Amino acid sequence: MTKINAYRRLDGRVGIRNYILAISMVSCSNTVTERIAHATGTIPVVHEQGCTEFEHDHERTKLALISAGRNPNVGGVLLVGLGCEQTNMEEIRSAIAETGKPVETVLIQREGGSPQAEKRGVEHIRRIKAMVEAERRVPCPVGDLVVGVQCGGSDWTTALSANPVIGVMTDLVIANGGSVLMSEVAGFPGSEHIVAARAATRDVGLRVLDMISELREEYHSTYGQRIEEVNPTPGNKAGGITTLVEKSMGNIKKMGTSPVQGVLKLGEPVPHPGLWVIDNRAQGPDPFNLTGLAMEGAVVTAFSSGRGSPVGNAVMPTLKLTGNPETFEKLASITDFNAGTVIQGCSIPETGAALYAFLLEVANGRETKSEINGNFEYIIPRETARGTHGRCPLSS
Amino acid sequence: MENAAIKKAIRIEPEDNVAVVVQDTAAGETLHCAELRIDAKTAVPLGHKVAITSITRGRPVVKYAVTIGLASCDIAEGEHVHSHNVEDITNRLCNEYERAFRAEKG
């Protein structure tokens, strides 16, 4: 059985990086957080929220910040707050500390101002670093890997070469006992019958159908038009896509052919290995979805982009591939893997196997372009309030 | 690597009866699609589908190993496959499946 060399965390999960984060509790503490991270060579997690939020939005902020700290790629955390914000720093501290990693806190008002908070934060991080740097990679089964899949900045090659290649990689991860997380559920309508047919149980099939019915209903009640009425778009048709089934299959292809184990809401832990659908309906730019995958515990995401994209994530390397050989040549500085060889005559299965091999190299420590270029975004996925939302499942 | 002048089409799954051309293709040109050689009967633009077998009217058009629509007329091998000769049955596929799935005993 193939092994990877990775970090076995005290909660049993496996990380492929040993990042240290400086997490801002509220937008008021963003600058101090960024300055501490800059001074210590660590990763800042800053955001636009943390105060005067409605409960629905604040629960999402809390979940996102806790999930960042709990991701197995993270070895230690500093929390930086102002002192009077809505975000409860102690609640976040204890939810992260539960995983056994060092967590320190600093408050600007308590320290007597920004320079003082910065100085204290840098001292904290030096201590955290000493502990975290003592951690060593150990052999772990591929089965401990949680891998996200995503696409963005698509072109005509995405659904033809890149996503089918990701699908082969997905099947290989799962065949080796690992987990793959697929989100982008807004792209499911049109192939929900295919996804439901692959469900491991009847209940899971119903969850998939319920989720997509709800999504279709939401679109219809919000915009007054059905998804089929606006899809495929004129641009899709000009590019050769004939039907909505065809369009959505281009997205679904990243899931490979393994049975779907279940549908998880953001914050629900992955119960066991296999292929999972993450019900993240946040409509927005690519980092929304990417951050959602990181929040679910993905330690790496394979991200295909026909036109090329630099996006990364604060807690997770992003393995960027393109199905377009011209993009790979032009944007090699932001692209890790060339799946455009399929266009030039290589087979999809052999290219997918090569991508899987590359993924294991990244798991073993090979830096991705997103890391080399410092793309450590953490953009909290925001969803419209709806009646079914519960409280942040990771805090007590 | 094959000669760049060779025109190509990619069949994504072995079950598919259409392939996607990776360059603009003119009628009369020969397409290499894995082990197959297909003579394009019509022009097929970059990224569009070409029939790699004949597809009788009413039969499924298969891409990604799933039905993406039905042939709305007889389609010959080598013809461009798009809205002009494919019936979009997305609604039927999704709704009928969902009704049948929900009707099944748990």
Side-chain angles (χ1 to χ4, degrees):
Chain A
M1 206 66 173
T2 322
K3 295 259 185 186
I4 52 164
N5 285 313
Y7 300 95
R8 170 79 63 189
R9 302 299 178 194
L10 290 171
D11 65 357
R13 293 189 297 164
V14 163
I16 63 170
R17 294 293 184 271
N18 206 18
Y19 292 151
I20 296 172
L21 303 182
I23 304 179
S24 178
M25 295 293 96
V26 60
S27 46
C28 314
S29 52
N30 281 355
T31 299
V32 171
T33 306
E34 279 171 340
R35 287 173 69 98
I36 293 169
H38 184 74
T40 54
T42 52
I43 300 169
V45 172
V46 295
H47 54 96
E48 80 291 1
Q49 281 295 354
C51 213
T52 60
E53 293 183 273
F54 286 106
E55 191 187 354
H56 165 83
D57 290 325
H58 192 61
E59 291 300 320
R60 176 50 55 91
T61 303
K62 216 155 73 180
L63 177 65
L65 301 183
I66 292 171
S67 305
R70 287 172 66 112
N71 187 290
N73 282 340
V74 175
V77 179
L78 173 73
L79 305 180
V80 183
L82 175 60
C84 56
E85 62 271 31
Q86 183 179 10
T87 314
N88 182 335
M89 188 158 73
E90 176 48 30
E91 187 183 349
I92 292 183
R93 191 203 62 77
S94 68
I96 297 173
E98 225 175 56
T99 59
K101 58 188 81 168
V103 189
E104 296 289 349
T105 60
V106 61
L107 287 172
I108 295 167
Q109 290 165 350
R110 196 173 60 196
E111 293 302 326
S114 296
Q116 292 84 348
E118 201 181 311
K119 185 165 172 284
R120 181 60 60 93
V122 169
E123 287 164 10
H124 279 317
I125 287 201
R126 291 215 174 104
R127 274 195 303 278
I128 293 171
K129 256 194 181 169
M131 281 187 270
V132 168
E133 280 168 4
E135 306 246 6
R136 290 288 167 265
R137 287 181 182 267
V138 295
C140 301
V142 173
D144 285 321
L145 272 184
V146 181
V147 180
V149 292
Q150 186 176 344
C151 56
S154 300
D155 72 354
W156 67 280
T157 64
T158 300
L160 173 61
S161 47
N163 287 357
V165 162
I166 290 182
V168 173
M169 180 210 76
T170 293
D171 284 342
L172 287 169
V173 171
I174 289 167
N176 283 282
S179 302
V180 175
L181 311 182
M182 165 75 180
S183 188
E184 295 167 282
V185 295
F188 278 32
S191 354
E192 66 264 43
H193 59 296
I194 308 289
V195 181
R198 290 191 194 151
T201 67
R202 179 183 152 76
D203 277 352
V204 171
L206 286 172
R207 277 287 300 272
V208 171
L209 294 174
D210 287 346
M211 171 178 70
I212 301 308
S213 300
E214 211 177 289
L215 204 60
R216 284 173 177 275
E217 235 352 273
E218 270 175 35
Y219 287 149
H220 193 234
S221 61
T222 309
Y223 302 107
Q225 278 182 300
R226 288 181 302 108
I227 290 171
E228 290 81 354
E229 291 179 72
V230 288
N231 277 292
T233 64
N236 292 152
K237 289 220 170 189
I241 292 171
T242 310
T243 68
L244 181 58
V245 181
E246 181 183 9
K247 177 176 175 171
S248 59
M249 274 308 292
N251 175 39
I252 298 298
K253 218 41 199 166
K254 301 194 292 289
M255 296 169 70
T257 56
S258 307
V260 177
Q261 300 299 317
V263 179
L264 301 172
K265 290 209 175 292
L266 282 185
E268 278 187 86
V270 176
H272 59 83
L275 176 65
W276 295 88
V277 172
I278 310 304
D279 182 2
N280 175 5
R281 302 183 206 177
Q283 292 284 309
D286 297 332
F288 270 29
N289 190 73
L290 204 52
T291 303
L293 295 169
M295 286 167 65
E296 274 303 298
V299 296
V300 56
T301 286
F303 186 115
S304 74
S305 184
R307 295 168 198 267
S309 167
V311 299
N313 190 271
V315 302
M316 170 181 79
T318 306
L319 193 179
K320 219 53 71 47
L321 62 142
T322 183
N324 189 328
E326 287 167 21
T327 301
F328 186 74
E329 207 164 298
K330 195 169 80 181
L331 294 172
S333 68
I334 57 171
T335 315
D336 298 285
F337 184 88
N338 182 13
T341 51
V342 169
I343 305 291
Q344 295 161 325
C346 291
S347 82
I348 290 170
E350 68 181 316
T351 311
L355 178 63
Y356 174 69
F358 198 108
L359 179 83
L360 296 190
E361 281 183 40
V362 171
N364 282 319
R366 177 175 177 162
E367 274 194 303
T368 59
K369 298 285 168 70
S370 69
E371 294 171 288
I372 292 167
N373 295 324
N375 281 99
F376 294 111
E377 295 92 2
Y378 199 80
I379 315 293
I380 303 174
R382 300 282 173 190
E383 292 175 331
T384 323
R386 66 170 77 81
T388 52
H389 264 270
R391 293 184 56 82
C392 170
L394 292 182
S395 65
S396 40
Chain B
M1 203 58 62
E2 293 177 49
N3 184 334
I6 293 175
K7 300 264 170 162
K8 289 199 212 79
I10 296 170
R11 178 181 56 186
I12 297 168
E13 297 290 348
E15 299 92 319
D16 295 355
N17 56 17
V18 293
V20 175
V21 303
V22 301
Q23 66 290 298
D24 286 327
T25 306
E29 289 184 308
T30 299
L31 285 163
H32 290 221
C33 179
E35 73 286 0
L36 305 174
R37 297 292 173 267
I38 312 284
D39 293 324
K41 294 212 167 43
T42 61
V44 188
L46 166 80
H48 285 232
K49 297 177 288 299
V50 63
I52 54 175
T53 63
S54 59
I55 310 171
T56 316
R57 179 168 185 263
R59 298 298 302 160
V61 175
V62 180
K63 183 184 174 187
Y64 300 117
V66 306
T67 299
I68 61 160
L70 300 180
S72 58
C73 58
D74 288 340
I75 303 172
E77 178 187 309
E79 262 187 69
H80 182 207
V81 176
H82 203 10
S83 307
H84 63 285
N85 53 15
V86 177
E87 183 192 352
D88 188 343
I89 56 161
T90 303
N91 266 328
R92 226 167 83 194
L93 289 169
C94 296
N95 295 341
E96 279 177 12
Y97 181 86
E98 181 161 358
R99 267 198 299 277
F101 193 94
R102 289 186 191 279
E104 268 174 43
K105 285 235 164 65

Coordinates of all heavy atoms in Angstrom, one line a residue, chain A residues 195-271:
Chain A
V195 N -26.0 11.7 -10.3 CA -25.4 11.7 -9.0 C -26.2 10.8 -8.0 O -25.7 10.0 -7.3 CB -25.3 13.2 -8.4 CG1 -24.6 13.1 -7.0 CG2 -24.5 14.0 -9.4
A196 N -27.6 11.0 -8.1 CA -28.4 10.2 -7.2 C -28.3 8.7 -7.5 O -28.3 7.9 -6.6 CB -29.9 10.7 -7.3
A197 N -28.1 8.4 -8.8 CA -28.0 7.0 -9.2 C -26.7 6.4 -8.6 O -26.6 5.1 -8.5 CB -28.1 6.8 -10.7
R198 N -25.7 7.2 -8.3 CA -24.5 6.7 -7.8 C -24.4 6.7 -6.3 O -23.4 6.5 -5.7 CB -23.3 7.6 -8.3 CG -23.1 7.4 -9.8 CD -21.8 8.0 -10.2 NE -21.7 8.1 -11.6 CZ -21.0 9.1 -12.2 NH1 -20.4 10.0 -11.5 NH2 -20.9 9.1 -13.5
A199 N -25.5 7.1 -5.7 CA -25.6 7.2 -4.2 C -25.4 5.8 -3.6 O -25.9 4.8 -4.1 CB -26.9 7.8 -3.7
A200 N -24.6 5.8 -2.5 CA -24.3 4.5 -1.8 C -25.6 3.9 -1.2 O -25.7 2.7 -1.1 CB -23.3 4.7 -0.7
T201 N -26.5 4.8 -0.8 CA -27.8 4.3 -0.2 C -29.0 5.1 -0.8 O -28.8 6.2 -1.3 CB -27.9 4.4 1.3 OG1 -27.9 5.8 1.7 CG2 -26.7 3.8 2.0
R202 N -30.2 4.6 -0.6 CA -31.4 5.3 -1.1 C -31.5 6.6 -0.4 O -31.9 7.6 -1.0 CB -32.6 4.4 -0.8 CG -33.9 5.0 -1.2 CD -35.1 4.1 -0.9 NE -36.3 4.9 -0.6 CZ -37.0 5.5 -1.6 NH1 -36.6 5.3 -2.8 NH2 -38.0 6.2 -1.3
D203 N -31.2 6.6 0.9 CA -31.3 7.9 1.7 C -30.4 9.0 1.1 O -30.8 10.1 1.1 CB -30.9 7.7 3.2 CG -32.1 7.1 4.0 OD1 -33.3 7.1 3.4 OD2 -32.0 6.8 5.1
V204 N -29.2 8.6 0.8 CA -28.2 9.5 0.2 C -28.8 10.0 -1.1 O -28.7 11.2 -1.4 CB -26.8 8.9 0.0 CG1 -25.9 9.8 -0.8 CG2 -26.2 8.6 1.4
G205 N -29.3 9.1 -1.9 CA -29.9 9.6 -3.2 C -31.0 10.6 -3.0 O -31.1 11.6 -3.7
L206 N -31.9 10.4 -2.0 CA -32.9 11.3 -1.6 C -32.4 12.6 -1.2 O -32.9 13.7 -1.6 CB -33.8 10.7 -0.6 CG -34.8 9.6 -1.0 CD1 -35.5 9.0 0.2 CD2 -35.8 10.1 -2.0
R207 N -31.3 12.6 -0.4 CA -30.6 13.9 0.0 C -30.2 14.7 -1.2 O -30.3 15.9 -1.2 CB -29.4 13.6 0.9 CG -29.6 13.3 2.4 CD -30.0 14.5 3.2 NE -29.1 15.6 3.3 CZ -28.1 15.8 4.2 NH1 -27.8 14.8 5.0 NH2 -27.3 16.8 4.2
V208 N -29.6 14.0 -2.1 CA -29.1 14.7 -3.4 C -30.3 15.3 -4.1 O -30.3 16.5 -4.4 CB -28.4 13.7 -4.3 CG1 -28.1 14.3 -5.6 CG2 -27.1 13.2 -3.6
L209 N -31.4 14.5 -4.3 CA -32.5 15.0 -5.0 C -33.2 16.2 -4.3 O -33.6 17.2 -4.9 CB -33.5 13.9 -5.3 CG -33.0 12.8 -6.2 CD1 -34.0 11.6 -6.3 CD2 -32.7 13.4 -7.6
D210 N -33.3 16.0 -2.9 CA -33.9 17.1 -2.1 C -33.1 18.4 -2.2 O -33.7 19.5 -2.4 CB -34.0 16.7 -0.6 CG -35.0 15.6 -0.4 OD1 -35.9 15.4 -1.2 OD2 -35.0 15.0 0.7
M211 N -31.8 18.3 -2.1 CA -30.9 19.4 -2.2 C -31.1 20.2 -3.5 O -31.3 21.4 -3.6 CB -29.5 19.0 -2.0 CG -28.5 20.1 -2.3 SD -26.8 19.6 -2.0 CE -26.5 18.5 -3.3
I212 N -31.1 19.4 -4.6 CA -31.2 20.0 -6.0 C -32.7 20.6 -6.2 O -32.8 21.6 -6.8 CB -30.8 19.1 -7.1 CG1 -29.3 18.6 -6.8 CG2 -30.9 19.7 -8.4 CD1 -28.3 19.8 -6.6
S213 N -33.7 19.9 -5.7 CA -35.1 20.4 -5.8 C -35.2 21.8 -5.1 O -35.7 22.7 -5.6 CB -36.1 19.5 -5.2 OG -36.0 18.2 -5.8
E214 N -34.6 21.8 -3.9 CA -34.6 23.1 -3.1 C -33.9 24.2 -3.9 O -34.3 25.3 -4.0 CB -33.9 22.8 -1.8 CG -34.4 23.6 -0.6 CD -33.7 23.2 0.6 OE1 -33.9 22.1 1.1 OE2 -32.8 24.0 1.1
L215 N -32.7 23.8 -4.5 CA -31.9 24.8 -5.2 C -32.7 25.3 -6.5 O -32.8 26.5 -6.7 CB -30.6 24.1 -5.7 CG -29.4 24.9 -6.0 CD1 -29.0 25.7 -4.8 CD2 -28.3 23.9 -6.4
R216 N -33.3 24.4 -7.2 CA -34.1 24.7 -8.4 C -35.3 25.7 -7.9 O -35.6 26.7 -8.6 CB -34.7 23.5 -9.0 CG -33.7 22.7 -9.8 CD -34.4 21.4 -10.3 NE -33.6 20.6 -11.2 CZ -33.5 20.7 -12.5 NH1 -34.2 21.7 -13.1 NH2 -32.7 20.0 -13.2
E217 N -35.9 25.3 -6.8 CA -37.0 26.1 -6.3 C -36.5 27.5 -5.9 O -37.2 28.5 -6.3 CB -37.5 25.5 -5.0 CG -39.0 25.1 -4.9 CD -39.9 25.6 -6.0 OE1 -40.4 26.8 -5.9 OE2 -40.1 24.9 -7.0
E218 N -35.4 27.6 -5.3 CA -34.8 28.9 -4.9 C -34.6 29.8 -6.1 O -34.9 31.0 -6.0 CB -33.5 28.7 -4.1 CG -33.7 28.5 -2.6 CD -32.4 28.2 -1.9 OE1 -31.3 28.7 -2.3 OE2 -32.4 27.4 -1.0
Y219 N -34.0 29.2 -7.1 CA -33.7 30.0 -8.3 C -35.0 30.5 -8.9 O -35.1 31.7 -9.3 CB -33.0 29.1 -9.4 CG -31.5 28.8 -9.0 CD1 -30.9 27.7 -9.4 CD2 -30.7 29.8 -8.3 CE1 -29.6 27.4 -9.2 CE2 -29.4 29.5 -8.1 CZ -28.8 28.3 -8.5 OH -27.5 28.0 -8.2
H220 N -36.0 29.6 -9.0 CA -37.2 30.0 -9.6 C -37.9 31.1 -8.8 O -38.4 32.0 -9.4 CB -38.1 28.7 -9.8 CG -39.3 28.9 -10.7 ND1 -40.6 28.7 -10.3 CD2 -39.3 29.4 -11.9 CE1 -41.4 29.0 -11.3 NE2 -40.7 29.5 -12.3
S221 N -38.0 30.9 -7.5 CA -38.7 31.9 -6.7 C -37.9 33.3 -6.7 O -38.5 34.3 -6.6 CB -39.0 31.4 -5.3 OG -37.8 31.2 -4.7
T222 N -36.6 33.2 -6.8 CA -35.8 34.4 -6.8 C -35.8 35.2 -8.1 O -35.9 36.4 -8.2 CB -34.3 34.1 -6.4 OG1 -34.3 33.4 -5.2 CG2 -33.5 35.4 -6.1
Y223 N -35.6 34.4 -9.2 CA -35.4 35.0 -10.5 C -36.6 34.9 -11.4 O -36.6 35.5 -12.5 CB -34.2 34.4 -11.2 CG -32.9 34.6 -10.3 CD1 -32.3 33.5 -9.7 CD2 -32.3 35.9 -10.2 CE1 -31.2 33.7 -8.9 CE2 -31.2 36.0 -9.4 CZ -30.6 35.0 -8.8 OH -29.5 35.1 -8.0
G224 N -37.6 34.0 -11.1 CA -38.8 33.9 -11.9 C -38.5 33.0 -13.2 O -39.4 33.0 -14.0
Q225 N -37.4 32.4 -13.3 CA -37.1 31.6 -14.4 C -36.5 30.2 -14.0 O -35.8 30.2 -12.9 CB -36.0 32.2 -15.3 CG -36.6 33.3 -16.3 CD -35.5 33.8 -17.1 OE1 -34.5 34.4 -16.6 NE2 -35.6 33.7 -18.4
R226 N -36.7 29.2 -14.7 CA -36.2 27.9 -14.4 C -34.7 27.8 -14.9 O -34.4 28.5 -15.9 CB -37.0 26.8 -14.9 CG -38.4 26.6 -14.2 CD -39.2 25.5 -14.7 NE -39.5 25.7 -16.1 CZ -39.0 24.9 -17.1 NH1 -38.1 24.0 -16.8 NH2 -39.3 25.2 -18.3
I227 N -33.9 27.0 -14.3 CA -32.5 26.8 -14.7 C -32.4 26.5 -16.2 O -31.6 27.0 -16.9 CB -31.8 25.8 -13.8 CG1 -31.7 26.3 -12.4 CG2 -30.5 25.4 -14.4 CD1 -31.2 25.3 -11.4
E228 N -33.3 25.6 -16.6 CA -33.3 25.2 -18.0 C -33.6 26.3 -19.0 O -33.2 26.2 -20.2 CB -34.3 24.1 -18.3 CG -34.1 22.7 -17.7 CD -34.4 22.7 -16.2 OE1 -34.8 23.7 -15.6 OE2 -34.4 21.6 -15.6
E229 N -34.3 27.3 -18.5 CA -34.6 28.4 -19.5 C -33.4 29.3 -19.8 O -33.4 30.0 -20.8 CB -35.7 29.3 -18.8 CG -37.1 28.6 -18.7 CD -38.1 29.5 -18.1 OE1 -38.5 30.5 -18.8 OE2 -38.5 29.3 -16.9
V230 N -32.4 29.3 -18.9 CA -31.2 30.1 -19.1 C -30.0 29.3 -19.4 O -28.9 29.8 -19.7 CB -31.0 31.1 -18.0 CG1 -32.0 32.2 -17.9 CG2 -31.0 30.3 -16.6
N231 N -30.1 28.0 -19.4 CA -29.0 27.1 -19.7 C -29.3 26.0 -20.7 O -30.4 25.5 -20.7 CB -28.6 26.4 -18.4 CG -27.7 27.2 -17.5 OD1 -26.6 27.5 -17.8 ND2 -28.3 27.6 -16.3
P232 N -28.3 25.6 -21.5 CA -27.0 26.2 -21.7 C -27.2 27.7 -22.2 O -28.1 27.9 -22.9 CB -26.3 25.3 -22.7 CG -27.2 24.1 -22.8 CD -28.5 24.5 -22.4
T233 N -26.2 28.5 -21.8 CA -26.3 29.9 -22.2 C -25.9 30.0 -23.7 O -25.3 29.1 -24.3 CB -25.2 30.7 -21.4 OG1 -23.9 30.2 -21.8 CG2 -25.4 30.6 -19.9
P234 N -26.2 31.1 -24.4 CA -25.8 31.3 -25.8 C -24.3 31.1 -25.9 O -23.9 30.5 -26.9 CB -26.2 32.8 -26.1 CG -27.3 33.0 -25.1 CD -27.0 32.3 -23.9
G235 N -23.5 31.5 -25.0 CA -22.1 31.3 -25.0 C -21.7 29.8 -25.0 O -20.8 29.4 -25.7
N236 N -22.4 29.1 -24.1 CA -22.2 27.6 -24.0 C -22.5 27.0 -25.4 O -21.7 26.2 -25.9 CB -23.1 27.0 -23.0 CG -22.9 27.4 -21.6 OD1 -23.8 27.4 -20.7 ND2 -21.6 27.7 -21.2
K237 N -23.6 27.4 -26.0 CA -24.1 26.8 -27.2 C -23.0 27.1 -28.3 O -22.7 26.2 -29.1 CB -25.4 27.3 -27.6 CG -26.5 26.7 -26.7 CD -27.8 26.3 -27.4 CE -28.7 25.6 -26.5 NZ -29.8 25.0 -27.1
A238 N -22.6 28.3 -28.4 CA -21.6 28.7 -29.4 C -20.3 27.9 -29.2 O -19.6 27.6 -30.1 CB -21.3 30.2 -29.3
G239 N -20.0 27.5 -27.9 CA -18.9 26.7 -27.7 C -19.1 25.2 -27.9 O -18.1 24.4 -27.7
G240 N -20.3 24.8 -28.2 CA -20.5 23.4 -28.6 C -21.3 22.6 -27.6 O -21.6 21.4 -27.7
I241 N -21.8 23.2 -26.5 CA -22.6 22.5 -25.5 C -24.0 22.6 -25.9 O -24.6 23.6 -26.1 CB -22.4 23.1 -24.0 CG1 -21.0 22.8 -23.6 CG2 -23.4 22.5 -23.1 CD1 -20.6 23.5 -22.3
T242 N -24.7 21.4 -26.0 CA -26.0 21.3 -26.6 C -27.1 21.3 -25.6 O -28.2 21.9 -25.8 CB -26.1 20.0 -27.5 OG1 -25.0 20.0 -28.4 CG2 -27.4 20.0 -28.3
T243 N -26.9 20.6 -24.4 CA -28.0 20.4 -23.4 C -27.5 20.7 -22.0 O -26.2 20.7 -21.8 CB -28.6 19.0 -23.5 OG1 -27.6 18.1 -23.0 CG2 -29.0 18.6 -24.9
L244 N -28.4 20.9 -21.1 CA -28.0 21.1 -19.7 C -27.4 19.9 -19.1 O -26.5 20.0 -18.3 CB -29.2 21.6 -18.9 CG -29.0 21.9 -17.4 CD1 -27.9 22.9 -17.2 CD2 -30.3 22.3 -16.7
V245 N -27.9 18.7 -19.5 CA -27.2 17.4 -19.0 C -25.7 17.5 -19.3 O -24.9 17.2 -18.5 CB -27.9 16.2 -19.6 CG1 -27.2 14.9 -19.0 CG2 -29.4 16.1 -19.3
E246 N -25.5 17.8 -20.6 CA -24.1 17.8 -21.1 C -23.3 18.9 -20.3 O -22.2 18.6 -19.8 CB -24.1 18.2 -22.6 CG -22.7 18.2 -23.2 CD -22.7 18.6 -24.6 OE1 -23.8 19.0 -25.1 OE2 -21.7 18.5 -25.3
K247 N -23.9 20.0 -20.1 CA -23.2 21.1 -19.4 C -22.8 20.7 -17.9 O -21.7 20.8 -17.5 CB -24.0 22.4 -19.4 CG -23.3 23.5 -18.6 CD -24.1 24.8 -18.7 CE -23.5 25.9 -17.8 NZ -24.1 27.2 -18.0
S248 N -23.8 20.2 -17.2 CA -23.6 19.8 -15.8 C -22.7 18.6 -15.7 O -22.0 18.5 -14.7 CB -24.9 19.7 -15.1 OG -25.7 18.7 -15.6
M249 N -22.7 17.7 -16.7 CA -21.8 16.5 -16.6 C -20.4 17.0 -16.6 O -19.5 16.3 -16.1 CB -22.1 15.5 -17.7 CG -23.2 14.5 -17.5 SD -23.0 13.6 -15.9 CE -21.6 12.6 -16.3
G250 N -20.1 18.1 -17.3 CA -18.7 18.6 -17.4 C -18.2 18.9 -16.0 O -17.0 18.7 -15.7
N251 N -19.1 19.3 -15.1 CA -18.8 19.6 -13.7 C -18.7 18.3 -12.9 O -17.7 18.1 -12.2 CB -19.9 20.6 -13.2 CG -19.7 20.9 -11.7 OD1 -18.6 21.1 -11.2 ND2 -20.8 20.9 -11.0
I252 N -19.7 17.5 -13.0 CA -19.8 16.2 -12.3 C -18.7 15.3 -12.6 O -18.3 14.5 -11.7 CB -21.2 15.5 -12.7 CG1 -22.4 16.4 -12.4 CG2 -21.3 14.1 -12.2 CD1 -22.5 16.6 -10.9
K253 N -18.1 15.4 -13.7 CA -17.0 14.5 -14.2 C -15.8 14.5 -13.2 O -15.2 13.5 -13.1 CB -16.5 15.0 -15.5 CG -16.1 14.0 -16.6 CD -17.0 12.8 -16.7 CE -16.3 11.7 -17.4 NZ -16.9 10.4 -17.3
K254 N -15.7 15.5 -12.4 CA -14.6 15.6 -11.4 C -14.8 14.5 -10.3 O -13.9 14.2 -9.6 CB -14.5 17.0 -10.8 CG -14.2 18.1 -11.8 CD -13.8 19.4 -11.0 CE -14.9 20.0 -10.2 NZ -16.0 20.6 -11.0
M255 N -16.0 14.1 -10.2 CA -16.4 13.1 -9.1 C -16.0 11.7 -9.4 O -16.1 10.8 -8.6 CB -17.9 13.2 -8.8 CG -18.3 14.5 -8.3 SD -20.1 14.6 -8.2 CE -20.5 13.5 -6.9
G256 N -15.5 11.5 -10.7 CA -15.2 10.1 -11.1 C -16.4 9.2 -11.1 O -17.5 9.7 -11.3
T257 N -16.2 8.0 -10.7 CA -17.3 7.0 -10.8 C -17.6 6.3 -9.5 O -18.4 5.4 -9.5 CB -16.9 5.9 -11.8 OG1 -15.7 5.3 -11.4 CG2 -16.8 6.5 -13.2
S258 N -17.0 6.8 -8.4 CA -17.2 6.1 -7.1 C -18.6 6.4 -6.5 O -19.2 7.4 -6.8 CB -16.2 6.5 -6.1 OG -14.9 6.3 -6.7
P259 N -19.1 5.5 -5.6 CA -20.4 5.8 -5.0 C -20.3 7.0 -4.1 O -19.3 7.2 -3.4 CB -20.7 4.5 -4.2 CG -19.6 3.5 -4.5 CD -18.5 4.2 -5.2
V260 N -21.4 7.8 -4.1 CA -21.5 9.0 -3.2 C -21.9 8.5 -1.8 O -23.0 7.9 -1.7 CB -22.5 10.0 -3.8 CG1 -22.7 11.2 -2.9 CG2 -22.1 10.4 -5.2
Q261 N -21.1 8.9 -0.9 CA -21.3 8.4 0.5 C -22.4 9.2 1.3 O -23.0 8.7 2.2 CB -20.0 8.4 1.3 CG -18.9 7.5 0.7 CD -19.4 6.0 0.7 OE1 -20.0 5.5 1.6 NE2 -19.1 5.4 -0.5
G262 N -22.5 10.5 0.9 CA -23.4 11.4 1.6 C -23.3 12.8 1.2 O -22.4 13.2 0.4
V263 N -24.2 13.6 1.7 CA -24.2 15.0 1.5 C -24.0 15.7 2.8 O -24.7 15.4 3.8 CB -25.6 15.5 0.9 CG1 -25.6 17.0 0.7 CG2 -25.9 14.8 -0.4
L264 N -22.9 16.5 2.9 CA -22.6 17.2 4.2 C -22.8 18.7 4.1 O -22.4 19.3 3.1 CB -21.1 16.9 4.5 CG -20.7 15.4 4.7 CD1 -19.2 15.3 4.8 CD2 -21.4 14.7 5.8
K265 N -23.4 19.2 5.2 CA -23.4 20.7 5.3 C -22.1 21.2 5.8 O -21.4 20.4 6.5 CB -24.5 21.1 6.2 CG -25.9 20.8 5.7 CD -26.9 21.8 6.2 CE -28.3 21.6 5.6 NZ -28.3 22.0 4.2
L266 N -21.7 22.4 5.5 CA -20.5 23.0 6.0 C -20.4 22.9 7.5 O -21.4 23.3 8.2 CB -20.3 24.5 5.6 CG -19.9 24.7 4.1 CD1 -19.7 26.2 3.9 CD2 -18.7 24.0 3.8
G267 N -19.3 22.3 8.0 CA -19.2 22.1 9.5 C -19.5 20.7 9.9 O -19.1 20.3 11.0
E268 N -20.2 19.9 9.1 CA -20.4 18.5 9.5 C -19.1 17.8 9.2 O -18.6 17.8 8.0 CB -21.5 17.9 8.6 CG -22.9 18.2 9.1 CD -24.0 17.4 8.3 OE1 -24.2 16.3 8.6 OE2 -24.5 18.0 7.3
P269 N -18.6 17.0 10.1 CA -17.4 16.3 9.9 C -17.6 15.2 8.9 O -18.7 14.6 8.8 CB -17.0 15.7 11.2 CG -18.1 15.9 12.1 CD -19.1 16.9 11.5
V270 N -16.5 14.8 8.1 CA -16.6 13.7 7.2 C -16.6 12.4 8.0 O -15.6 12.1 8.7 CB -15.4 13.8 6.2 CG1 -15.4 12.6 5.3 CG2 -15.4 15.1 5.4
P271 N -17.7 11.6 7.9 CA -17.8 10.5 8.9 C -16.9 9.3 8.5 O -16.4 8.6 9.4 CB -19.2 10.0 8.7 CG -19.9 11.1 7.9 CD -18.9 11.8 7.2

